[in-house]
Amino acid sequence: MKWQNIFKAAFQSILKNRMRSLLTSLGIIIGVGAVIVMVGIGQGSQYRIKKEIDALGANMLIIFPSHSRMGGVSRGAGSYNRFTLADTRKLQKESSLTAGISAIVGSGGQIIGGDSNWNSRIYGVDPSYLEIRAWSLKSGTFFTERDVRAKAKVTVIGQTVKENLFPDSNPVGERIRINNTPFTVIGVLAEKGQDPRGMDQDDVVLAPSTTVLYRLKGGRYISYMMASAISTKDIGAAQEELTQLLRDAHKIKPGEDNDFIIRNQAEITEAAASAAHILTLLLGSIAAVSLLVGGIGIMNIMLVSVTERTREIGIRLAVGARESDILVHFLTEAVVLSLIGGIIGISIAYGVGAILNHFTDLTAMIQPQIVMMAFGVSGAVGIFFGFYPAKKAARLNPIDALRHE
Amino acid sequence: MTTVIETRGLKKNYRMGTVTVHALRGINLSVETGEFVSIMGASGSGKSTLMNMLGCLDTPSEGEYLLDGENVNNLTRNQYADIRNQKVGFVFQGFNLLAKTTALENVELPLFYDRSNRVPHTRQAAMDALERVGLADRVHHEPNQMSGGEQQRVAIARALVNNPAIILADEPTGNLDSHTSVEILALFQELNEQGITVVLVTHEPDLALYTRRVIQMSDGRIVGDKSVESRLIAREVLPTLPTLENGENGEVQS
Ligand SMILES: Nc1ncnc2c1ncn2[C@@H]1O[C@H](COP(=O)(O)OP(=O)(O)O)[C@@H](O)[C@H]1O
Ligand SMILES: [Mg+2]
């Protein structure tokens, strides 16, 4: 046996029929490349959303006011049983399964400072807010319980606000005016980027809850509350504890519906993750179509060349090639072309992934399993259609193969 | 003298739907070493079918065949492949060279598949074969860069390269002009002088006169078998022939 001769013949066939080799490989390149990039983008988005939600604080609970119902009758849209600071204080005092609870008093406003002004969201919060959100300070300090009790006119600003008002200087100690009320900047938040919905989390101004409620907004009601469970496994228990405490505070009788909703991070994560999963599925089906198109391309090229190649097989059989020689020859060709196409496809996919990650907002996360899957499927298609017609031709009498039209 | 080919009652039937074509109806033929035989007959008389059986390119429906003293009936596909590889050199009307492949590589092809390793230096053997057919200066040409006559010479070199017991040529000049045809006959005569057994199919009576024995076929049977009385020598005839300047396939510069 002269295996090296047969391998040599296979490589010669590939080199002598450059166009056919190129087209065959092209099908595999497209199949492999498209699948890897598409699924990579889907999984990248999924991963990024999950990471960003985790960064919100994994143990976080959000407590919203909602419509309350009395004996199954809605009191109507205007009748929120909204939260007051007293609700927050009661929860803060009586809850044992939370690490921190903060009132959130939302307000919009114009901020004047340095030489410019800027419109931003202003949140009145409690000192535990920073820990609940798992945020940190870049410089300065955060306000304390004393500031809250004193309705102190102190503020901590986000990066975007800092860059617009004090682009070149440290704002800590500077005075700014929020809706014409003077505040002292005591800290700057570390940069956080966008949240999963694309909102700029750095375009924010924080001040004590009492200050915002009584000095800026006026009124009794806070917007909602945030809390963090003492640990991830206590989220459910903390949620139940807060529910009970709030029902007591709002004097809701057994059997009556809550006038609030408590969402935990897991639920929020799940919702976002399932959206990202749908995206992955969508991109995955586009990828599957690419794979199919690539596969049909390979098949066409191989089948078109069957006539020509059947005669070639006839010649080889006529001069004494055994069936197994032909099989090894064509299998080698198909495997080599599939391998080359696969390697080029994978390289292109990694290149495109790197470009996407570097130059666009898309995140492509290329996973080895997907690479193997795409490679495997395209390779199998390439090998099958490269090999199967040859196998059929090799079984013919030499004279029938030579006569093939 | 030993017998290279011996057939007894060789038959070949082709079934086409409900009709059975009897292409060969019982062929008894023997060819001795060193013979130069031509097979003649009308189109459809079974010449190609017989050649394919003799070359082990196809198997007979019935009958016995001894090639080079070996019984070659009911062998495995691999055994037939090895016989084609080592005992037979086949020359086709349509050349059947591999496209985009040089003359040298085409001639080397049978040695690629030779499991006996009788020929250690395959490239050199292919060179020698090309030299024997007068193409030493065309070794790196591909089929589409050669005239029909040259392509057929490459095919003959490929048939020679394995030192076969016999060379079988089925209308080797069918695609060539008359001048080139005689040149090919000259080459066969030369090889035959060197001791190679040749069986050649032609439908041109003129060309049969260059061989030593003419077998006449009709309707799947041998109907005539006689020696050539006054054999023509192609080398002597060639200078008397007009050279064709505009031959379609057969332009050969001499
Ligand atoms: N593969 C085939 N299938 C059916 N009939 C065939 C086949 N090959 C040859 N024949 C028939 O066998 C007969 C002999 O053909 P062939 O040997 O090619 O004749 P020749 O070479 O003398 O012209 C013809 O009638 C032809 O039609
Ligand atoms: Mg014929």
Side-chain angles (χ1 to χ4, degrees):
Chain A
M1 309 239 175
K2 295 190 170 185
W3 293 113
Q4 70 272 36
N5 280 343
I6 292 164
F7 290 141
K8 200 166 122 193
F11 279 96
Q12 281 175 351
S13 293
I14 289 172
L15 291 176
K16 278 172 189 153
N17 300 283
R18 298 241 165 98
M19 202 58 187
R20 185 177 67 207
S21 306
L22 185 78
L23 290 172
T24 309
S25 303
L26 203 59
I28 297 185
I29 292 171
I30 292 170
V32 171
V35 169
I36 295 175
V37 170
M38 293 292 182
V39 177
I41 290 173
Q43 294 197 322
S45 315
Q46 209 169 345
Y47 171 78
R48 198 175 60 169
I49 288 171
K50 192 169 155 14
K51 204 180 78 181
E52 280 165 357
I53 288 169
D54 285 348
L56 291 177
N59 301 339
M60 193 172 76
L61 295 164
I62 304 177
I63 307 146
F64 299 103
S66 81
H67 290 285
S68 68
R69 287 164 163 270
M70 291 288 260
V73 182
S74 170
R75 288 194 205 153
S79 62
Y80 276 99
N81 236 350
R82 287 183 285 171
F83 302 144
T84 61
L85 276 180
D87 288 325
T88 312
R89 302 295 169 246
K90 177 181 157 73
L91 294 183
Q92 283 170 341
K93 201 151 64 197
E94 294 177 15
S95 160
S96 59
L97 294 170
T98 53
I101 298 174
S102 170
I104 313 282
V105 187
S107 169
Q110 192 185 45
I111 302 124
I112 303 170
D115 299 322
S116 40
N117 63 74
W118 183 251
N119 283 301
S120 185
R121 289 296 298 168
I122 296 147
Y123 291 106
V125 299
D126 293 320
S128 56
Y129 184 75
L130 214 55
E131 192 197 323
I132 294 168
R133 302 293 314 255
W135 285 359
S136 56
L137 289 173
K138 192 179 176 206
S139 61
T141 54
F142 205 66
F143 38 83
T144 61
E145 289 298 341
R146 263 182 65 189
D147 295 322
V148 173
R149 278 197 298 276
K151 308 184 191 71
K153 290 183 273 187
V154 292
T155 180
V156 172
I157 61 175
Q159 273 295 318
T160 304
V161 179
K162 186 249 161 202
E163 267 149 37
N164 280 284
L165 299 182
F166 304 98
D168 306 315
S169 60
N170 183 0
V172 174
E174 297 286 337
R175 293 179 74 77
I176 60 171
R177 300 176 78 83
I178 301 173
N179 293 346
N180 274 327
T181 305
F183 280 77
T184 304
V185 178
I186 59 167
V188 179
L189 293 166
E191 194 167 338
K192 292 168 298 292
Q194 292 180 345
D195 76 1
R197 282 163 299 177
M199 305 264 284
D200 180 4
Q201 297 185 95
D202 298 314
D203 189 5
V204 69
V205 171
L206 301 179
S209 53
T210 50
T211 316
V212 176
L213 187 60
Y214 299 122
R215 292 188 193 273
L216 287 183
K217 245 188 135 181
R220 297 179 53 210
Y221 297 111
I222 65 170
S223 309
Y224 58 98
M225 292 185 270
M226 278 189 180
S228 63
I230 49 175
S231 74
T232 309
K233 68 172 169 32
D234 289 314
I235 288 174
Q239 207 168 346
E240 270 171 40
E241 184 193 50
L242 292 175
T243 303
Q244 206 47 57
L245 288 172
L246 268 178
R247 284 180 72 94
D248 290 350
H250 289 187
K251 301 189 171 58
I252 297 167
K253 297 192 192 79
E256 284 180 6
D257 290 340
N258 295 337
D259 58 357
F260 56 87
I261 295 165
I262 303 180
R263 291 245 176 275
N264 66 41
Q265 191 57 52
E267 291 164 346
I268 299 167
T269 310
E270 241 165 57
S274 84
H277 185 63
I278 289 168
L279 180 72
T280 306
L281 285 182
L282 190 76
L283 292 171
S285 23
I286 295 174
V289 171
S290 316
L291 201 58
L292 191 72
V293 170
I296 291 171
I298 299 167
M299 190 178 81
N300 271 342
I301 298 300
M302 294 303 196
L303 294 182
V304 163
S305 62
V306 161
T307 299
E308 183 193 308
R309 304 224 73 181
T310 303
R311 272 181 49 83
E312 178 194 334
I313 289 170
I315 293 172
R316 291 180 185 277
L317 290 173
V319 301
R322 290 184 179 184
E323 197 178 316
S324 58
D325 296 338
I326 303 288
L327 296 188
V328 172
H329 174 146
F330 278 76
L331 192 60
T332 306
E333 263 192 55
V335 168
V336 167
L337 286 179
S338 300
L339 269 178
I340 291 173
I343 288 166
I344 295 175
I346 290 170
S347 313
I348 289 177
Y350 272 101
V352 169
I355 289 170
L356 288 179
N357 289 343
H358 199 267
F359 294 106
T360 73
D361 286 342
L362 289 170
T363 309
M365 210 168 77
I366 295 176
Q367 292 189 320
Q369 305 96 283
I370 300 298
V371 173
M372 294 314 291
M373 193 273 298
F375 193 20
V377 172
S378 306
V381 171
I383 291 167
F384 180 80
F385 286 105
F387 181 62
Y388 179 72
K391 185 174 160 62
K392 262 173 62 182
R395 295 199 68 85
L396 295 173
N397 272 337
I399 206 70
D400 291 330
L402 282 170
R403 272 203 208 107
H404 188 90
E405 264 146 40
Chain B
M1 267 204 195
T2 53
T3 307
V4 186
I5 281 174
E6 173 103 54
T7 73
R8 288 192 213 103
L10 216 56
K11 291 185 184 172
K12 180 70 178 179
N13 306 322
Y14 292 111
R15 193 148 295 144
M16 312 262 291
T18 53
V19 190
T20 303
V21 179
H22 301 278
L24 296 181
R25 295 169 186 269
I27 301 286
N28 300 311
L29 172 68
S30 67
V31 176
E32 307 293 316
T33 308
E35 275 199 278
F36 188 4
V37 183
S38 56
I39 299 178
M40 297 203 48
S43 180
S45 57
K47 307 183 294 292
S48 293
T49 306
L50 175 60
M51 292 295 270
N52 294 341
M53 303 298 134
L54 298 181
C56 290
L57 293 171
D58 205 350
T59 45
S61 311
E62 253 180 75
E64 267 185 64
Y65 177 25
L66 283 98
L67 174 61
D68 201 21
E70 243 183 273
N71 193 320
V72 292
N73 303 290
N74 304 317
L75 303 183
T76 64
R77 285 175 60 83
N78 282 348
Q79 285 171 317
Y80 279 120
D82 292 349
I83 285 169
R84 287 195 294 273
N85 186 243
Q86 290 160 26
K87 300 249 184 220
V88 183
F90 210 100
V91 179
F92 300 89
Q93 178 174 352
F95 318 140
N96 279 334
L97 299 176
L98 289 183
K100 297 181 188 168
T101 304
T102 63
L104 190 62
E105 288 167 329
N106 262 297
V107 174
E108 212 180 352
L109 193 64
L111 300 177
F112 259 23
Y113 297 113
D114 189 343
R115 279 155 219 272
S116 73
N117 289 325
R118 298 172 302 169
V119 186
H121 304 292
T122 58
R123 184 123 299 201
Q124 188 54 50
M127 282 286 224
D128 294 346
L130 279 165
E131 210 175 305
R132 283 173 84 180
V133 301
L135 283 180
D137 56 341
R138 294 281 192 281
V139 289
H140 297 301
H141 284 54
E142 292 176 7
N144 63 357
Q145 299 166 323
M146 288 185 284
S147 69
E150 286 170 329
Q151 290 183 58
Q152 196 59 294
R153 283 166 187 270
V154 174
I156 293 168
R158 181 180 64 188
L160 277 175
V161 77
N162 260 353
N163 284 320
I166 190 162
I167 287 187
L168 301 167
D170 188 359
E171 299 203 44
T173 61
N175 288 4
L176 303 176
D177 63 63
S178 54
H179 190 274
T180 312
S181 298
V182 178
E183 288 183 336
I184 293 295
L185 263 297
L187 176 58
F188 279 122
Q189 278 190 333
E190 202 179 299
L191 295 172
N192 181 242
E193 299 296 333
Q194 295 162 14
I196 296 173
T197 316
V198 179
V199 176
L200 173 144
V201 169
T202 179
H203 59 255
E204 287 181 59
D206 290 359
L207 294 181
L209 294 178
Y210 294 95
T211 67
R212 294 169 189 270
R213 171 184 170 195
V214 180
I215 288 168
Q216 194 72 37
M217 279 188 73
S218 173
D219 197 19
R221 289 195 179 84
I222 291 176
V223 293
D225 186 346
K226 53 177 187 277
S227 332
V228 178
E229 307 277 292
S230 50
R231 194 162 81 106
L232 293 174
I233 306 301
R235 280 278 151 237
E236 291 165 5
V237 176
L238 269 173
T240 69
L241 292 174
T243 0
L244 279 185
E245 297 297 331
N246 56 351
E248 264 179 49
N249 280 314
E251 267 181 52
V252 179
Q253 292 87 9
S254 48

